[in-house]
Amino acid sequence: MAITVDPHRPIRPDHDLGLSVPKREVKPAPDRWRNQLGKYRVWRYEELCKKCGKCAEICPNGVHVRPEGYAGFVRPLESKCTAETCKKNGTYCVDNCPQKALRTEVLPLYKSLGDFRWTADLILSTWHMAETGELPEGELESEVGNSGGGFDKIRFKFPENGQRTNPDEISTAIPLNRREDGRPKITIDLPVYGGGMSFGSVSPVTILSKARAATAWNIFSCTGEGGYIDRLIPYKDHMITQVATGLFGVREETIRRARIVEFKYAQGAKPGLGGHLLGDKNTPAVAAMRGAVPGTSLFSPFPFHSVYSIEDHKKHVDWIRHVNPRALVSAKVSTPIDVDMVAVGSYFAGANIVHLDGSYGGTGAAPDIAKKNIAMPIEYAIPKVARFLVEEGIRDEVTLIVSGGIRTPWDMAKAIALGADGVVIGTPEMVALGCIRCGKCESGKGCARGIATTDAEMVKKMDIEWGTQRLINMLHAWRLQLVDILSRFGMSDVKELRGRTDLLRHLDYEEA
Amino acid sequence: MNKGIRIYFCRNVVEDGVPDELQRLGLMDDVALEAVPCGGRIDPRYLLKAFEGGAHAVCVLTCPIAHCRLMEGNLRATRRVKLAKEMLAEAGVGSDSLQIIMPSEPGEDALMAAIDKIARFVEENSRAAYGVMAR
Amino acid sequence: MPAKYHIHPKPTPPKHKRIGKYAIIDWREDCSACHNCVKRECIYSVYNDERDRLQKTVQDYVDYLYECKGCLCCVQSCTKGLLTQQVNPEYLEMGDDVWTADIISSTWYQAETAKVPVSGAGYPGPFRGPGFDSILTDMSEIVRPTRDGIHGREYISTQVDIGRKPMKLEFNPDGSLKTDFPAQVEIPLPVLFNMMPWHAPSVNVSKAIVDTAKALGTLAITNEPKLMSSESVIPHIPEQAKDDPAITARMAQWSDCKDVVARIKAVKEKNPDLVAIVRLPLGSASIPRALELAKQGIDAFHVYADWQGVVGNNGKPQHISIAVREIHQAFVAAGCRDEITLIASGGISLAEHVIKTLLCGADLICADVPLMVALECRICKNCTKGILCPIGLADVDHDYAVQRMVNLMSAWHSQMLEMMGAMGIREARRLRGEVGRAMFFDDLERECFGPVFGQRKAVEA
């Protein structure tokens, strides 16, 4: 059942509206499409098949299904097939069929899916995680993409026969306030939280699913620059209020409500450029939230025209502190050449969290030229900034959060080992909700998959309960992977991993 | 600019680039060569449209039997060509001017044999249409 | 402040079939014709368009449509799972390593709409690439503010000058200017139009290029004798040719030859306002020659790489970006960089390449192949083989051609503003050699990863 979302509906806890209270438990959340995508096509020549049932017997994944009481088989559940692995294990149905009535081929669709950074394998493995909450097994390459640099060339140096720690005793929590400034010591249970996606760029269902999953995992999600929709208020303890250059929907109460306020100075999707909401997506509800005229394209200026120095930045921080003395301040900056100076400056201006957003990430629509060329990838920025913070003697007073191209739990662990405290994710959440990265977020009605759209019809393609569960499942799998990595290193806390560059190697570098 | 002979070929039948022999056919003045992603993309509507647009011969090249990436694209193409032929026959167009050619087995030799067949098809049809003076 | 520079774009749909990326294949025979057919749901109405086309197009062939945007909604929703998607083989075959299919289709889009190509979901490409893809540009925040140029809130100038610049001004005792001011040409866009690298276009196409240059306020280099009278032309004078066209032109380009300095001097006596350009191949070998010519009073140099941006350089191939940096630095070392103008060309296919070439040290660039691609060229290079052009480029409609090229330059202009705005640079003149605003991947690897991972493996040649 799809629930239509009216952002101005009276505020009541969502469970009153028939929604469940989000809980940190894994439940199966199968693909919301009828035909699941997989790597293989499995074909049965009906003329040859004698319906002996050998294939169903031998298949480890339940691809061949014969319903109770039927003589024939239903269409093979191709998405579950792992032909290459089966060939090695002797469970390959094609080899074992007495009639030679079966055939498998790598699906041409699989080859057309994905890109260098998000390969088809990464998309499919993220879907697997979102569906089951478990780590992907089998033959999907779920650790790295195919971009030929950065995280894709970095590997962990796991000790051989090292002492493993008990996974149950590993803590993945990180503190967000490391300064002694009298503000609350907020701790999140995973070193990851959700990135800002504005009401207008994505559908309210998407925003709510993210917020609910964040609540379940005791992490955060972010409003983005499009204002704070009332439906989010029940989850306010897990929402970051973003103050961006357009100041859309920023009001005193939205700042008072928040436990963390984030200044978006720049974003990795389009460093050096402001946000841009196309007229088509600016529906009356969006316009009301942003205090704008429906149907017009909304440009955020770049930069904050009130910030031209670190001192101006401090004024900004002081303004927030004045409005809400209990809020932590996060400064979201992109990665220019002098990103280390910007990070240190942000700290001295009073920020609790420095959030670096690298150039290859981003979920929203952005000019291709900016996505590709402007600012440096996050892989470079992390060690650069972390080193500078250590040299300045303030590493332990600032929480360094990074984002922009974090795709997998492996990327998260590598980013932490390079020197970050935690990461922010955007695209993995979208993929978990069914994004295939076609990149057409901006055209016409918006997203064809009903994620990044405000069109009333398209929004109905997704259900809040389902979306919440997919994200909860994915985060569960991410935690499993992180715990596994920590356990293999004999660590018992994710904080021990931070800055352990000695545990990493880069395939393009000489072995020490 | 309408060409008299149209060759549709499945892109998967020629894994690494279009063979020169086929390319050369496509460079002939009267021949249009169009790659399709799979034999299963062949559509009777398009085939008929080609004739309606002025083609007098259309030829389809697909993967050998049991070697389609999509399992049955070539079989579908065969069926569709057959369907189009029936319609052409009804309209009074000789069904020889539409042909589907399939290599007998995977591998270079069979493919070359199939391309030879296409070349012959092209030759016959260009002569049929223009007589001797065309070449 | 000079008047703001405006380009007047107009949507200009292509005349030939677009080559799209995705194709949907369906097993229509098995369709049970259910009432909720996914084909009707397509938000891009691809299926409806195809049907309409089949019904309405009567005379011509119908080519297979590849308008699918690859959202996979139909593939995943079809009740019987009859649909599947593939990449269009024609799309994959288009172009080559440098002129990739993605660049071609992006250029087509820009020439059609004059809009900046926009897409969602982050950068999908490889981490780094060769040539221009190994350079990133900087952005500014907090401490170094950006410029908000794209929406016109702050004016960012893309004007550049071609010609010799005096290094100091001298005045007569009465206060009047004593310095003899050399000839200069100002153009509002750091882009000139070049001759085509692999074939001579028809007069028709050359005329369209010249008229586009006129519409944009820039100039086009040509050797087409019929067009020499236009004021937007830079005549190209090969070694054996006569110097006559230069006598009436604002700017002229000579191929390098022994007596080029003497020839230019002779022409300049008749046409003192002429800006003389000498065309040299890029590469270390030409640097001494360029310095010598500069000493002898040549105003500007057009240094070129091949059409893929590769410089032969005596068997040690270089990318244009590296070669331009070398010659720029040689002029800086010789202390005369500010006096002369460097025009670079070859392998510049996107707006970002313009900016990056400028950052590497050129004053402006020459565009060539992108103009052809704007006219729907597919870089099949049939023309070089003497085979029929699939789009009949030679007979292109003049107004259509001019508008397509104007559109492309408009999109380039907008994109240059975006990049310059992000860098916080308000003047295209200031981009020249500003490597402080560029990040080279090799430097980033060394600075950021070096302390972590040690020594980078030598790249295999």
Side-chain angles (χ1 to χ4, degrees):
Chain A
M1 179 196 69
I3 295 175
T4 331
V5 178
D6 172 7
H8 303 292
R9 206 150 63 169
I11 308 148
R12 277 185 295 162
D14 269 349
H15 51 267
D16 281 4
L17 301 169
L19 283 176
S20 65
V21 179
K23 280 200 211 81
R24 196 183 298 188
E25 60 189 358
V26 172
K27 279 187 231 155
D31 208 332
R32 64 193 150 109
W33 275 274
R34 190 183 178 94
N35 309 318
Q36 280 202 36
L37 300 180
K39 189 168 173 181
Y40 296 98
R41 170 153 280 216
V42 183
W43 186 247
R44 180 194 310 278
Y45 291 97
E46 294 293 345
E47 313 83 88
L48 295 177
C49 179
K50 291 267 193 296
K51 322 275 186 286
C52 66
K54 176 96 174 141
C55 49
E57 228 169 81
I58 204 165
C59 179
N61 307 310
V63 173
H64 306 282
V65 180
R66 174 157 51 182
E68 278 286 325
Y70 283 78
F73 286 86
V74 297
R75 182 151 56 94
L77 302 173
E78 296 166 334
S79 62
K80 294 185 180 170
C81 176
T82 54
E84 277 307 314
T85 325
C86 283
K87 275 181 199 166
K88 279 179 214 139
N89 298 347
T91 53
Y92 189 36
C93 52
V94 177
D95 289 348
N96 286 286
C97 176
Q99 288 292 320
K100 300 275 167 265
L102 289 168
R103 226 181 108 199
T104 62
E105 281 270 5
V106 176
L107 193 60
L109 191 152
Y110 166 81
K111 292 182 192 157
S112 76
L113 196 64
D115 49 55
F116 287 99
R117 296 192 65 78
W118 273 89
T119 52
D121 279 16
L122 285 186
I123 294 178
L124 293 177
S125 58
T126 302
W127 283 352
H128 178 91
M129 290 193 271
E131 180 178 339
T132 62
E134 300 294 326
L135 294 175
E137 291 165 355
E139 54 197 64
L140 292 178
E141 171 56 77
S142 59
E143 180 180 342
V144 290
N146 190 24
S147 73
F151 289 134
D152 289 349
K153 286 275 184 174
I154 297 175
R155 300 287 189 279
F156 278 110
K157 291 191 268 195
F158 286 114
E160 280 170 36
N161 312 319
Q163 187 68 41
R164 279 190 169 223
T165 34
N166 180 358
D168 297 337
E169 288 162 10
I170 292 176
S171 157
T172 54
I174 58 162
L176 291 182
N177 184 9
R178 303 162 136 256
R179 303 176 87 125
E180 298 302 328
D181 61 353
R183 280 153 195 273
K185 295 283 180 198
I186 297 176
T187 305
I188 52 176
D189 288 355
L190 292 177
V192 55
Y193 60 79
M197 287 171 218
S198 63
F199 174 56
S201 71
V202 294
S203 76
V205 176
T206 308
I207 296 181
L208 281 163
S209 300
K210 281 172 48 142
R212 286 161 53 84
T215 307
W217 274 104
N218 184 29
I219 56 173
F220 281 85
S221 183
C222 177
T223 59
E225 66 171 322
Y228 206 121
I229 58 175
D230 288 348
R231 283 285 305 275
L232 279 174
I233 292 176
Y235 311 107
K236 67 180 165 51
D237 285 347
H238 299 278
M239 286 307 287
I240 296 172
T241 299
Q242 189 177 77
V243 179
T245 51
L247 299 175
F248 294 120
V250 175
R251 300 200 183 89
E252 200 172 315
E253 68 265 22
T254 64
I255 289 174
R256 280 177 184 243
R257 202 180 280 153
R259 291 166 80 202
I260 302 179
V261 176
E262 172 177 292
F263 278 108
K264 188 183 89 180
Y265 283 99
Q267 64 189 106
K270 40 196 157 194
L273 308 174
H276 178 184
L277 185 72
L278 282 130
D280 288 338
K281 277 180 152 186
N282 187 7
T283 59
V286 174
M289 183 53 62
R290 297 194 178 206
V293 181
T296 54
S297 290
L298 298 179
F299 298 99
S300 301
F302 197 93
F304 273 114
H305 285 314
S306 48
V307 178
Y308 287 93
S309 67
I310 288 292
E311 289 73 24
D312 289 342
H313 169 48
K314 183 164 188 322
K315 261 189 290 184
H316 257 185
V317 175
D318 290 345
W319 159 50
I320 295 296
R321 307 198 133 182
H322 186 74
V323 178
N324 182 352
R326 307 272 310 150
L328 304 189
V329 175
S330 161
K332 178 176 177 181
V333 293
S334 197
T335 49
I337 288 179
D338 51 0
V339 56
D340 41 357
M341 301 297 290
V342 172
V344 169
S346 303
Y347 163 80
F348 281 112
N352 304 88
I353 301 169
V354 174
H355 174 178
L356 306 177
D357 197 8
S359 65
Y360 282 164
T363 51
D368 288 348
I369 194 167
K371 292 199 300 193
K372 181 179 169 195
N373 298 301
I374 307 180
M376 67 168 92
I378 194 67
E379 289 94 328
Y380 294 133
I382 303 169
K384 187 175 165 105
V385 170
R387 198 159 51 235
F388 196 57
L389 291 174
V390 170
E391 282 163 15
E392 292 287 299
I394 52 174
R395 182 63 192 95
D396 283 327
E397 286 173 58
V398 48
T399 306
L400 184 64
I401 299 289
V402 299
S403 64
I406 309 286
R407 300 157 297 178
T408 62
W410 289 97
D411 287 352
M412 165 172 73
K414 288 170 192 170
I416 293 172
L418 278 173
D421 284 290
V423 299
V424 163
I425 53 169
T427 313
E429 290 182 325
M430 297 294 100
V431 173
L433 295 177
C435 168
I436 53 146
R437 294 175 50 76
C438 67
K440 305 283 181 299
C441 316
E442 82 298 338
S443 53
K445 286 178 174 180
C447 174
R449 320 262 304 175
I451 304 164
T453 178
T454 50
D455 184 86
E457 282 296 312
M458 306 299 290
V459 168
K460 284 185 196 155
K461 285 195 171 184
M462 196 161 72
D463 172 50
I464 296 179
E465 294 277 9
W466 178 86
T468 311
Q469 195 56 52
R470 290 280 281 193
L471 294 175
I472 289 175
N473 289 353
M474 185 189 75
L475 288 168
H476 182 264
W478 277 49
R479 183 171 191 280
L480 282 183
Q481 186 67 67
L482 180 62
V483 163
D484 181 59
I485 292 169
L486 294 173
S487 153
R488 284 169 77 177
F489 280 122
M491 295 178 179
S492 57
D493 195 323
V494 67
K495 294 192 277 293
E496 291 172 43
L497 183 64
R498 190 191 75 190
R500 289 293 300 275
T501 51
D502 56 312
L503 302 179
L504 296 173
R505 66 191 173 94
H506 193 299
L507 299 185
D508 288 348
Y509 284 73
E510 307 281 354
E511 294 286 334
Chain B
M1 192 175 45
N2 290 353
K3 296 188 177 180
I5 302 171
R6 219 156 163 76
I7 305 170
Y8 293 104
F9 69 100
C10 168
R11 185 56 182 68
N12 295 324
V13 81
V14 285
E15 180 75 47
D16 339 293
V18 184
D20 288 348
E21 288 76 10
L22 193 55
Q23 196 116 37
R24 215 169 295 138
L25 290 175
L27 294 177
M28 286 167 64
D29 285 348
D30 197 33
V31 178
L33 196 63
E34 184 156 10
V36 283
C38 171
R41 179 97 180 115
I42 305 288
D43 185 326
R45 292 182 298 172
Y46 277 90
L47 294 176
L48 294 177
K49 207 73 193 176
F51 282 101
E52 193 185 337
H56 54 80
V58 176
C59 176
V60 176
L61 171 67
T62 66
C63 299
I65 288 204
H67 285 88
C68 174
R69 299 295 154 76
L70 291 163
M71 306 297 175
E72 48 170 346
N74 43 9
L75 304 178
R76 302 263 169 184
T78 318
R79 262 194 264 174
R80 288 169 194 176
V81 167
K82 200 172 147 228
L83 186 68
K85 274 188 173 194
E86 285 169 20
M87 291 183 190
L88 284 174
E90 249 174 71
V93 180
S95 58
D96 285 350
S97 50
L98 174 61
Q99 268 199 24
I100 179 158
I101 290 168
M102 232 182 248
S104 52
E105 56 186 22
E108 187 123 335
D109 297 343
L111 179 61
M112 286 309 147
I115 292 175
D116 278 350
K117 261 193 213 170
I118 297 178
R120 230 170 306 138
F121 175 83
V122 167
E123 201 180 331
E124 277 163 23
N125 283 288
S126 54
R127 233 183 267 145
Y130 294 102
V132 189
M133 53 170 279
R135 300 263 143 210
Chain C
M1 197 174 84
K4 280 192 182 180
Y5 178 54
H6 281 296
I7 301 178
H8 301 286
K10 201 170 78 191
T12 313
K15 302 219 161 182
H16 298 270
K17 159 181 100 151
R18 290 185 192 91
I19 300 180
K21 188 163 181 188
Y22 296 109
I24 295 289
I25 298 163
D26 60 347
W27 298 159
R28 60 180 73 251
E29 291 84 359
D30 295 356
C31 173
S32 56
C34 60
H35 66 285
N36 52 349
C37 182
V38 289
K39 294 186 177 181
R40 274 189 299 206
E41 305 269 297
C42 175
I43 70 164
Y44 307 110
S45 77
V46 171
Y47 294 101
N48 289 349
D49 290 355
E50 184 179 22
R51 191 197 55 216
D52 291 351
R53 240 167 71 101
L54 277 167
Q55 280 176 0
K56 285 175 192 155
T57 321
V58 183
Q59 277 307 315
D60 211 345
Y61 284 118
V62 185
D63 293 301
Y64 280 90
L65 266 186
Y66 295 104
E67 298 281 289
C68 172
K69 305 219 192 272
C71 72
L72 291 183
C73 283
C74 56
V75 172
Q76 288 199 269
S77 311
C78 174
T79 346
K80 296 191 75 181
L82 299 179
L83 304 170
T84 186
Q85 176 191 284
Q86 272 204 4
V87 176
N88 177 8
E90 222 178 334
Y91 185 85
L92 290 181
E93 276 160 20
M94 204 162 56
D96 56 31
D97 293 348
V98 176
W99 267 96
T100 59
D102 289 337
I103 294 183
I104 295 175
S105 80
S106 160
T107 305
W108 285 346
Y109 172 83
Q110 293 173 48
E112 180 182 349
T113 61
K115 286 182 183 158
V116 175
V118 170
S119 63
Y123 176 58
F127 191 75
R128 64 176 283 187
F132 286 119
D133 288 353
S134 65
I135 306 174
L136 294 167
T137 64
D138 195 18
M139 52 86 65
S140 313
E141 57 192 348
I142 305 185
V143 286
R144 292 177 294 142
T146 54
R147 300 289 170 185
D148 197 356
I150 184 74
H151 311 305
R153 279 181 276 223
E154 282 179 88
Y155 185 62
I156 295 181
S157 158
T158 49
Q159 180 171 307
V160 291
D161 317 308
I162 310 167
R164 194 164 268 273
K165 291 160 204 83
M167 286 300 96
K168 59 176 190 273
L169 295 179
E170 286 175 73
F171 295 91
N172 292 319
D174 63 350
S176 62
L177 192 61
K178 185 177 160 196
T179 311
D180 192 15
F181 224 82
Q184 264 192 18
V185 175
E186 287 181 356
I187 55 168
L189 201 62
V191 178
L192 294 175
F193 295 161
N194 203 0
M195 296 181 295
M196 291 308 131
W198 67 68
H199 76 300
S202 67
V203 182
N204 203 5
V205 173
S206 300
K207 182 164 186 332
I209 293 177
V210 170
D211 288 350
T212 309
K214 193 170 180 182
L216 294 167
T218 176
L219 292 94
I221 302 172
T222 185
N223 54 3
E224 178 57 57
K226 287 178 192 152
L227 299 168
M228 292 303 175
S229 55
S230 168
E231 58 173 16
S232 299
V233 154
I234 302 176
H236 172 70
I237 300 165
E239 210 172 315
Q240 318 81 2
K242 287 192 171 157
D243 297 332
D244 299 347
I247 295 170
T248 49
R250 283 200 283 166
M251 249 196 282
Q253 169 182 287
W254 277 265
S255 290
D256 187 25
C257 55
K258 256 188 207 147
D259 55 346
V260 71
V261 177
R263 281 169 71 178
I264 289 173
K265 262 193 188 136
V267 173
K268 276 201 167 184
E269 268 167 28
K270 294 180 201 155
N271 181 4
D273 289 338
L274 179 83
V275 174
I277 307 170
V278 172
R279 187 163 179 270
L280 289 170
L282 272 168
S284 333
S286 332
I287 291 177
R289 174 70 177 156
L291 291 173
E292 186 196 323
L293 288 172
K295 225 174 262 169
Q296 292 172 11
I298 301 297
D299 312 318
F301 297 91
H302 174 188
V303 287
Y304 63 95
D306 75 1
W307 68 280
Q308 292 185 314
V310 179
V311 178
N313 202 25
N314 291 338
K316 282 178 271 169
Q318 267 180 331
H319 186 252
I320 175 177
S321 58
I322 297 167
V324 166
R325 271 184 92 178
E326 257 180 24
I327 193 167
H328 168 74
Q329 277 159 359
F331 274 112
V332 171
C336 59
R337 179 65 187 91
D338 283 333
E339 292 172 43
I340 54 106
T341 310
L342 265 188
I343 306 164
S345 74
I348 293 166
S349 49
L350 291 167
E352 68 204 50
H353 298 168
V354 181
I355 299 278
K356 287 176 181 176
T357 313
L358 263 49
L359 287 175
C360 286
D363 286 276
L364 67 161
I365 66 108
C366 264
D368 37 45
V369 185
L371 300 175
M372 292 300 98
V373 178
L375 307 183
E376 296 179 64
C377 171
R378 295 162 186 189
I379 321 232
C380 63
K381 289 196 263 146
N382 275 2
C383 43
T384 59
K385 302 175 209 150
I387 301 164
L388 208 61
C389 173
I391 54 162
L393 188 62
D395 307 316
V396 72
D397 176 57
H398 179 264
D399 294 349
Y400 156 85
V402 171
Q403 193 59 53
R404 289 277 290 197
M405 290 190 273
V406 166
N407 286 353
L408 177 66
M409 285 304 130
S410 172
W412 275 27
H413 182 244
S414 306
Q415 290 176 78
M416 284 189 249
L417 294 191
E418 297 213 1
M419 284 185 97
M420 288 165 68
M423 279 187 266
I425 285 187
R426 288 182 65 168
E427 274 268 9
R429 295 183 183 107
R430 277 193 49 207
L431 285 172
R432 187 194 73 194
E434 184 62 279
V435 284
R437 293 286 163 88
M439 294 182 259
F440 297 87
F441 268 101
D442 288 334
D443 298 345
L444 286 174
E445 287 275 340
R446 202 172 43 246
E447 281 164 29
C448 301
F449 280 177
V452 177
F453 299 115
Q455 185 64 40
R456 196 173 159 83
K457 281 181 195 165
V459 185
E460 289 143 41

